[in-house]
Amino acid sequence: NVMRGRLVGEKDPVILWFSGIYPWFDAQTLINAMPAVISVLPNVKLVIMGGVHPRGHAPDYEYRATVAAAEKLDLIDKSVFFVDWRPYDERVNWYLESDVAVVTHKQALETEISHRTRVIDFIWAGLPSIVSRGDEVGGMLETAGCGLTVNIGDARDLADKLIGILQDAEARKNMSMAARRLASTLTWDKVLEPLVSWAKAPSIAKDRQDENARRSVLQVVDTLDAHTRIVMGEKNPGKADKIKNIYNSEGPIAVVKRALGSGWRKLKGG
């Protein structure tokens, strides 16, 4: 055992946060949900394994804020346990000794385009998961019946979902079986099938074609000039020049902001 009988009790309900707490994640909402969960399930334990990026590739302020939130609620080493990174090959033992995993994130552009590999790992292990709404993997998880999604930043919603799943062993069992079924569709040979098929008969996507590209099987686009010309099309050179000017003077984020318009303000919560 890596947790049970050591860090937590043999029969304690265990919530697992596995891996880092980086700026785009929101572990503070999970901490803030814990008092409501504890009021119903006094023996519940939250184990946070990881936290700070092991190679320092991400700032640690969100991790420190999470620890501070747990300290403020007087939960550390009582209901919330912070554990250092453990060897990769041992991770399945943490999954098998947990009842549910949680991955909550903030509302941001990163969320829209992310693919949470840790959630894929939970699916592989058959571990029910609760995640924030807004990313592709979370939607896939809920559709397949192997987990639940919650509103971003909503501690009450998260607490209710945690209480419900921790009190329902049959639901967890069904989610676990659903996760294993979903995992069988996510093996490398299956997820790579579209790419392998394309490689056998490559063609250029319609939004990347121009008159020259149509005469060749592949075209290398390695400059901003070429990229904007192909994306915008030769018929609208003025717009392509405008994009290039914004990129050169303000950077790539400015291009994204202009492209999204009001959508960017919604993503930022404005």
Side-chain angles (χ1 to χ4, degrees):
N1 289 7
V2 293
M3 287 189 289
R4 294 194 180 275
R6 297 182 178 184
L7 187 65
V8 304
E10 292 285 355
K11 302 296 183 181
D12 289 346
V14 175
I15 304 164
L16 179 67
W17 177 288
F18 191 87
S19 195
I21 300 176
Y22 308 136
W24 48 91
F25 288 112
D26 178 24
Q28 292 182 68
T29 291
L30 175 56
I31 296 295
N32 292 331
M34 286 302 294
V37 180
I38 294 167
S39 69
V40 178
L41 300 166
N43 294 331
V44 68
K45 302 296 188 295
L46 167 60
V47 177
I48 297 177
M49 204 289 290
V52 177
H53 196 289
R55 291 180 294 282
H57 292 174
D60 67 353
Y61 59 80
E62 190 65 30
Y63 171 78
R64 288 187 281 106
T66 301
V67 173
E71 287 178 338
K72 184 177 180 179
L73 293 171
D74 194 27
L75 297 176
I76 293 181
D77 295 335
K78 296 176 181 178
S79 299
V80 177
F81 298 85
F82 291 87
V83 182
D84 288 337
W85 293 92
R86 294 291 187 265
Y88 178 79
D89 290 341
E90 294 180 8
R91 72 194 190 285
V92 68
N93 296 323
W94 295 82
Y95 300 161
L96 292 175
E97 292 183 30
S98 301
D99 294 294
V100 61
V102 173
V103 182
T104 42
H105 55 242
K106 300 173 183 177
Q107 182 171 317
L109 186 60
E110 188 275 343
T111 293
E112 293 288 329
I113 61 176
S114 69
H115 188 85
R116 307 280 183 218
T117 52
R118 65 181 74 180
V119 180
I120 298 297
D121 222 31
F122 301 152
I123 293 170
W124 163 74
L127 177 60
S129 305
I130 298 178
V131 305
S132 299
R133 292 189 178 96
D135 70 332
E136 186 69 23
V137 175
M140 176 178 66
L141 180 144
E142 189 165 51
T143 299
C146 50
L148 303 171
T149 61
V150 295
N151 297 321
I152 292 175
D154 191 335
R156 182 69 256 180
D157 187 24
L158 179 56
D160 289 343
K161 296 287 176 57
L162 282 168
I163 292 168
I165 198 171
L166 290 172
Q167 288 184 320
D168 194 337
E170 187 65 22
R172 295 198 306 276
K173 180 180 177 181
N174 291 336
M175 286 183 181
S176 182
M177 291 189 295
R180 295 183 186 281
R181 287 193 298 270
L182 178 59
S184 69
T185 71
L186 299 175
T187 56
W188 280 114
D189 59 329
K190 292 181 179 178
V191 298
L192 285 175
E193 188 175 329
L195 179 59
V196 172
S197 297
W198 179 88
K200 290 178 179 178
S203 61
I204 297 174
K206 290 182 179 180
D207 63 348
R208 292 294 185 272
Q209 293 179 0
D210 63 10
E211 291 181 4
N212 293 326
R214 294 190 190 100
R215 293 196 293 267
S216 62
V217 176
L218 295 175
Q219 179 183 19
V220 177
V221 180
D222 58 0
T223 67
L224 179 62
D225 287 338
H227 186 74
T228 52
R229 186 181 70 249
I230 290 171
V231 171
M232 301 309 303
E234 297 289 357
K235 294 181 179 180
N236 199 345
K239 196 164 186 179
D241 288 341
K242 183 177 180 181
I243 291 174
K244 187 173 75 171
N245 290 336
I246 294 172
Y247 183 97
N248 290 334
S249 62
E250 302 178 46
I253 295 299
V255 175
V256 173
K257 287 181 179 179
R258 301 291 182 89
L260 288 175
S262 62
W264 173 265
R265 291 189 291 275
K266 289 179 182 178
L267 287 173
K268 295 293 287 182

